[in-house]
Amino acid sequence: MTTSQSTTSRETTFRLRRYDPDKDSAPHWDTYTLKVPDGMTVLEALHQIKAEQEPTLAWRSSCRMGVCGSCGMFINNLPMLACQTQVLHLNSDVVTVAPLPNYPNVKDLVPDLEPLIEKHAAIKPFIIHPNSMEVDEPTGEFLQSAEEREAYSQFTYCIKCGLCLAACPTVATDPLFLGPQALAQAYRYTADNRDCGLQERLEAIDVFHGPYQCHMAGACSQACPKGVDPAFGIQLLKRTLVLDSIGFGKKKSQVAKLVPLADVVKQIEEFAPPPRSVNQ
Amino acid sequence: MRETRLWSLHLLAIPVIFVLLGMHLAIMHYAPVFYGMSVDKAREFGTMIERGKSVAQFILYILLLIAGLYHGLYGLRGILRELPLTPTLIKVVDVGILTFGLLIFALGTYVTWWTFTFKVGG
Amino acid sequence: MNTKPTGYNNRLGLKGWAYAGRYSIERYLYLGHRLSGLGLIAYMVLHIVETANRIRGEQAWEGLMALFASPPFKVIEYLLFAMAVFHAMNGVRLILVELGFFLGKPKEPIYPYSTSVLRHRPLTYVVMILAGLLIIFGGSSMFFK
């Protein structure tokens, strides 16, 4: 069944939360009706409402294909990406769209994601290698096997959409809690075999508002649109911290070895020799 | 390391509570099964004193007090600190809970010692 | 960052703890664990204070025991027992899971995504069934004389 040939459509009522900081003291709800064809996403519905009914409607979106993380919204009381949510799949005559909770609401459906970015920056989201010059001015490659990569790879898919912090019960009350995104990223870097920066990150993460205020409610992993599973990252981070506190942390000697560029080239030539020229 | 250590102790208290509280509940509520005496008899003053005079009971009750109070009050502190508090209130919660815990521990230890040293009939 | 856009406070607050909506069962278990924990710590403190009454002598003690043998207290006792069993059994799940056990191994996310929350669901069911059985059959001690 393709969207262009389908005749399924449903008259749907959209309740959108509106807030204009210049005019309103508090948000209110406005209602719009739309005949929604099969395949239309919430984002497309918003575009149509803005074009035909409410030109002042504001929201944030960009790629419309689930990779930029801009269009996170609270749709029927669950955090979702508007571009990845088909209206008819919500199975409801009434669709409520609100801005992501647990972030300040700038206007209409636009959240202020600054708290997300600040917490992410606080955990030092970059490789910390004993040879810091090498990280900035590389002279070779760090060795990392497929298994070593798989140990942290799923946490690299984070698109910073912020849905996880909107879902988290602890973020709902605690403005200082680092949140699933930052904590999962802290694990992503700690588990990377090129990184040995756990000690430097401890000041930011081994605090009250760190991973121990996660109580495995699992809402963040349920909300995550990219399968990052931040709850998993946080529990693994707790394990890492406990092991480190009793002396079983990663040693500097266990960090990935540096292979000088000349050796890298030699290895490439061994495994994938240059093709013979046509005339030979 | 601070918070990791506090949390690790919170977790270490769990098996201690599991075993000791399990024993405590068994003694109190399953007295007919384990001791062949009625539940009412198990709670009588005399039976309680008799139980409280064993050294093992004394030590295990103190252990249960420590583990139970630490685990419970660390959890309560966590719940309160997850609310948006001012720096002053944070200090009030931390110091208040620690003080309260020490006071209740002191009371429980005193009562356990009182039972251990109780002179029957005098 | 030079400009900080502020906005309307959209934090869910305590509703974020209490309302689990269409989130998964683990979110409800989080709420249950929190409530049962608060009930248990309140009870533990009261229990220590109440059993300290023994120092007031045998008569005071027996009076207290007679009060606690009455039907309303027996019901409260059973509810406390149920809370303790739930908290303990869910706690068994949490201590295992929060140290990274029963969650599977990290691997490339391929749609439809499997999450650690879903992967440890069998453990959740086992723990809840055990809790249910203990609460039902453990309560039989109420009828002991």
Side-chain angles (χ1 to χ4, degrees), chain A residues 54-116:
Chain A
E54 182 55 80
T56 64
L57 186 61
W59 72 84
R60 201 186 274 129
S61 67
S62 183
C63 74
R64 89 284 177 257
M65 61 182 202
V67 292
C68 73
S70 301
C71 64
M73 297 181 197
F74 209 44
I75 300 169
N76 282 5
N77 284 322
L78 282 176
M80 302 180 197
L81 292 181
C83 68
Q84 297 258 280
T85 306
Q86 291 191 32
V87 180
L88 296 190
H89 286 187
L90 293 169
N91 231 347
S92 174
D93 289 329
V94 179
V95 175
T96 56
V97 187
L100 280 182
N102 304 336
Y103 299 98
N105 180 202
V106 178
K107 181 180 180 178
D108 288 347
L109 303 171
V110 182
D112 173 11
L113 293 179
E114 190 62 29
L116 174 77

Side-chain angles (χ1 to χ4, degrees), chain B:
Chain B
M1 277 313 143
R2 284 292 310 169
E3 197 62 35
T4 301
R5 286 208 201 277
L6 292 177
W7 188 74
S8 304
L9 288 172
H10 180 73
L11 253 58
L12 280 170
I14 293 174
V16 175
I17 297 170
F18 211 82
V19 170
L20 294 183
L21 185 62
M23 280 165 56
H24 182 60
L25 289 179
I27 292 169
M28 300 313 297
H29 294 274
Y30 283 86
V33 175
F34 290 111
Y35 294 97
M37 73 167 78
S38 73
V39 174
D40 287 333
K41 178 122 181 84
R43 294 182 191 199
E44 268 177 24
F45 190 81
T47 327
M48 175 189 64
I49 296 292
E50 205 185 305
R51 263 198 320 265
K53 291 211 160 289
S54 86
V55 178
Q57 175 99 337
F58 179 78
I59 294 172
L60 293 177
Y61 259 176
I62 303 290
L63 255 178
L64 181 57
L65 255 182
I66 295 172
L69 278 173
Y70 182 83
H71 184 85
L73 291 175
Y74 179 85
L76 178 64
R77 172 228 187 206
I79 291 173
L80 290 175
R81 288 276 306 264
E82 279 178 22
L83 299 167
L85 303 174
T86 60
T88 322
L89 274 176
I90 290 171
K91 269 217 160 45
V92 166
V93 165
D94 278 351
V95 174
I97 287 184
L98 180 63
T99 314
F100 181 73
L102 288 171
L103 283 171
I104 299 291
F105 174 69
L107 174 63
T109 308
Y110 170 69
V111 171
T112 313
W113 172 82
W114 182 93
T115 314
F116 186 67
T117 57
F118 183 77
K119 292 228 171 350
V120 179

Side-chain angles (χ1 to χ4, degrees), chain A residues 17 27 76 79 100 102-103 105 112 114 118 153-154 157 167 169 171-173 215 217 222 225 229 232 238-239, chain C residues 1 4-5 7-8 10-13 17 22-24 26-27 34 98-101 104 106-108 113 115-116:
Chain A
R17 215 177 86 160
N76 282 5
L100 280 182
N102 304 336
Y103 299 98
N105 180 202
D112 173 11
E114 190 62 29
E118 274 175 358
S153 176
Q154 70 174 80
Y157 288 87
V171 177
T173 55
H215 307 292
Q222 186 181 346
D229 196 0
F232 191 20
K238 288 179 198 171
R239 175 194 270 191
Chain C
M1 283 287 150
K4 263 185 148 55
Y8 184 78
N10 207 20
R11 212 170 273 282
L12 286 173
W17 290 3
R22 287 181 297 130
Y23 288 113
S24 58
E26 285 78 14
R27 177 77 177 254
R34 192 153 270 226
E98 291 197 24
L99 288 171
F101 298 106
K107 59 183 181 85
E108 287 291 310
Y113 307 124
T115 64
S116 58

Side-chain angles (χ1 to χ4, degrees), chain B residues 29-30 32 39, chain C residues 74 78 136-145:
Chain B
H29 294 274
Y30 283 86
V39 174
Chain C
K74 279 250 170 273
Y78 182 65
I136 294 170
F137 293 106
S140 63
S141 75
M142 263 211 309
F143 303 106
F144 288 166
K145 266 272 152 264

Side-chain angles (χ1 to χ4, degrees), chain A:
Chain A
M1 183 162 70
T2 63
T3 51
S4 55
Q5 286 154 9
S6 169
T7 52
T8 320
S9 65
R10 188 172 181 167
E11 188 86 359
T12 308
T13 305
F14 286 85
R15 288 188 71 232
L16 307 181
R17 215 177 86 160
R18 309 297 312 280
Y19 172 64
D20 185 342
D22 294 330
K23 297 198 195 106
D24 301 326
S25 57
H28 61 276
W29 296 89
D30 280 349
T31 309
Y32 309 90
T33 332
L34 202 60
K35 203 171 176 72
V36 172
D38 191 21
M40 177 182 253
T41 62
V42 171
L43 181 61
E44 287 164 351
L46 291 176
H47 274 293
Q48 193 160 331
I49 291 171
K50 187 176 172 85
E52 296 171 358
Q53 301 180 51
E54 182 55 80
T56 64
L57 186 61
W59 72 84
R60 201 186 274 129
S61 67
S62 183
C63 74
R64 89 284 177 257
M65 61 182 202
V67 292
C68 73
S70 301
C71 64
M73 297 181 197
F74 209 44
I75 300 169
N76 282 5
N77 284 322
L78 282 176
M80 302 180 197
L81 292 181
C83 68
Q84 297 258 280
T85 306
Q86 291 191 32
V87 180
L88 296 190
H89 286 187
L90 293 169
N91 231 347
S92 174
D93 289 329
V94 179
V95 175
T96 56
V97 187
L100 280 182
N102 304 336
Y103 299 98
N105 180 202
V106 178
K107 181 180 180 178
D108 288 347
L109 303 171
V110 182
D112 173 11
L113 293 179
E114 190 62 29
L116 174 77
I117 307 299
E118 274 175 358
K119 289 167 186 181
H120 183 54
I123 57 98
K124 300 193 161 87
F126 41 83
I127 295 288
I128 298 173
H129 191 271
N131 185 349
S132 58
M133 280 297 295
E134 182 58 38
V135 175
D136 294 332
E137 286 162 42
T139 62
E141 284 189 1
F142 290 124
L143 276 185
Q144 185 172 81
S145 68
E147 289 78 26
E148 282 162 339
R149 173 150 177 105
E150 205 169 39
Y152 70 91
S153 176
Q154 70 174 80
F155 308 111
T156 63
Y157 288 87
C158 175
I159 58 173
K160 287 75 172 170
C161 61
L163 298 193
C164 51
L165 271 78
C168 176
T170 309
V171 177
T173 55
D174 186 356
L176 296 174
F177 177 53
L178 283 172
Q181 192 273 339
L183 291 168
Q185 293 311 297
Y187 182 71
R188 173 258 176 276
Y189 286 99
T190 308
D192 193 322
N193 77 326
R194 298 168 293 178
D195 182 278
C196 67
L198 180 60
Q199 301 307 313
E200 286 164 61
R201 296 193 178 94
L202 281 181
E203 198 189 315
I205 58 178
D206 199 351
V207 292
F208 175 77
H209 301 285
Y212 306 111
Q213 297 328 111
C214 163
H215 307 292
M216 200 49 175
C220 56
S221 294
Q222 186 181 346
C224 178
K226 306 309 286 183
V228 173
D229 196 0
F232 191 20
I234 303 175
Q235 312 321 312
L236 292 176
L237 182 65
K238 288 179 198 171
R239 175 194 270 191
T240 308
L241 286 171
V242 169
L243 286 174
D244 186 67
S245 75
I246 55 175
F248 290 98
K250 193 194 287 181
K251 312 267 182 295
K252 280 202 162 59
S253 55
Q254 292 170 307
V255 177
K257 296 284 174 290
L258 179 69
V259 180
L261 196 56
D263 292 346
V264 172
V265 171
K266 224 173 14 169
Q267 278 185 16
I268 292 173
E269 284 172 353
E270 269 170 32
F271 287 110
R276 285 192 301 255
S277 80
V278 176
N279 291 330
Q280 274 185 323

